[in-house]
């Protein structure tokens, strides 16, 4: 359903579903751990929906750009990625494009067909205020 992309180095542990079903299906500790994870996801989704309702698109987009570039200054921006961004921040692809154009005009970012480069991080932080996706 979703594509996940790491913006920092990560380490992963992969466990096959069949192995989990065979060895942990009745393990109360494991099931409790899964329930905590699901609960946290519901809470994050609720916070995200609230964020999308209470903040304008420029704040949400600036926040997204800052959260996705913690150390780097460049983010890929293909059409599919912009559509994903629009879905995540609760707006249309066209609105994201208009807002990015405004950010370029304000000197906050540079943009070409393949990427978005942050050139004024402090300016984006000012747009986002304290509303930064975590």
């Amino acid at each position: 359903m979703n594509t996940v992309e790491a913006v920092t180095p990560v380490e992963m542990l992969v466990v096959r579903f069949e192995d989990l079903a065979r060895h942990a299906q009745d393990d109360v500790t494991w099931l409790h751990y899964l329930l905590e994870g699901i609960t946290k996801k519901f809470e994050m989704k609720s916070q995200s929906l609230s964020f999308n309702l209470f903040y304008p698109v420029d704040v949400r987009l600036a926040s997204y750009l800052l959260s996705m570039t913690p150390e780097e200054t460049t983010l890929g921006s293909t059409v599919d990625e912009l559509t994903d961004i629009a879905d995540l921040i609760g707006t249309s692809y066209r609105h994201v494009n208009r807002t990015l154009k405004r950010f370029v005009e304000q000197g906050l970012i540079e943009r070409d067909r393949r990427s978005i480069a942050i050139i004024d991080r402090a300016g984006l932080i000012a747009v986002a205020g304290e509303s930064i996706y975590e």
Side-chain angles (χ1 to χ4, degrees):
M1 290 177 58
N2 295 305
T3 300
V4 176
E5 182 177 337
V7 295
T8 59
V10 297
E11 292 184 27
M12 293 179 53
L13 171 66
V14 178
V15 180
R16 295 181 333 156
F17 180 77
E18 295 82 14
D19 293 336
L20 283 175
R22 186 174 335 121
H23 299 292
Q25 182 172 328
D26 297 320
D27 185 333
V28 174
T29 304
W30 172 249
L31 294 174
H32 183 72
Y33 172 77
L34 290 178
L35 185 58
E36 283 182 14
I38 290 170
T39 302
K40 286 180 184 176
K41 286 184 181 191
F42 279 131
E43 183 178 327
M44 285 176 31
K45 183 67 171 179
S46 176
Q47 289 174 352
S48 173
L49 289 172
S50 295
F51 184 78
N52 288 345
L53 287 172
F54 292 117
Y55 292 96
V57 171
D58 59 338
V59 172
R60 294 181 295 198
L61 184 56
S63 174
Y64 176 83
L65 293 173
L66 291 166
S67 69
M68 295 307 289
T69 55
E71 296 167 7
E72 307 84 23
T73 58
T74 304
L75 179 70
S77 70
T78 64
V79 170
D80 288 340
E81 290 166 326
L82 290 181
T83 301
D84 289 343
I85 292 169
D87 289 342
L88 178 71
I89 67 171
T91 192
S92 70
Y93 169 82
R94 287 181 176 179
H95 203 151
V96 167
N97 267 329
R98 285 191 300 269
T99 306
L100 288 172
K101 183 178 178 186
R102 238 185 358 263
F103 286 175
V104 169
E105 291 166 354
Q106 294 169 352
L108 301 173
I109 65 169
E110 289 179 348
R111 181 176 176 212
D112 61 29
R113 290 186 176 259
R114 300 200 192 301
S115 65
I116 298 168
I118 296 174
I119 56 174
D120 183 0
R121 191 170 195 84
L124 271 182
I125 289 170
V127 171
E130 295 182 23
S131 309
I132 297 180
Y133 283 109
E134 298 278 340

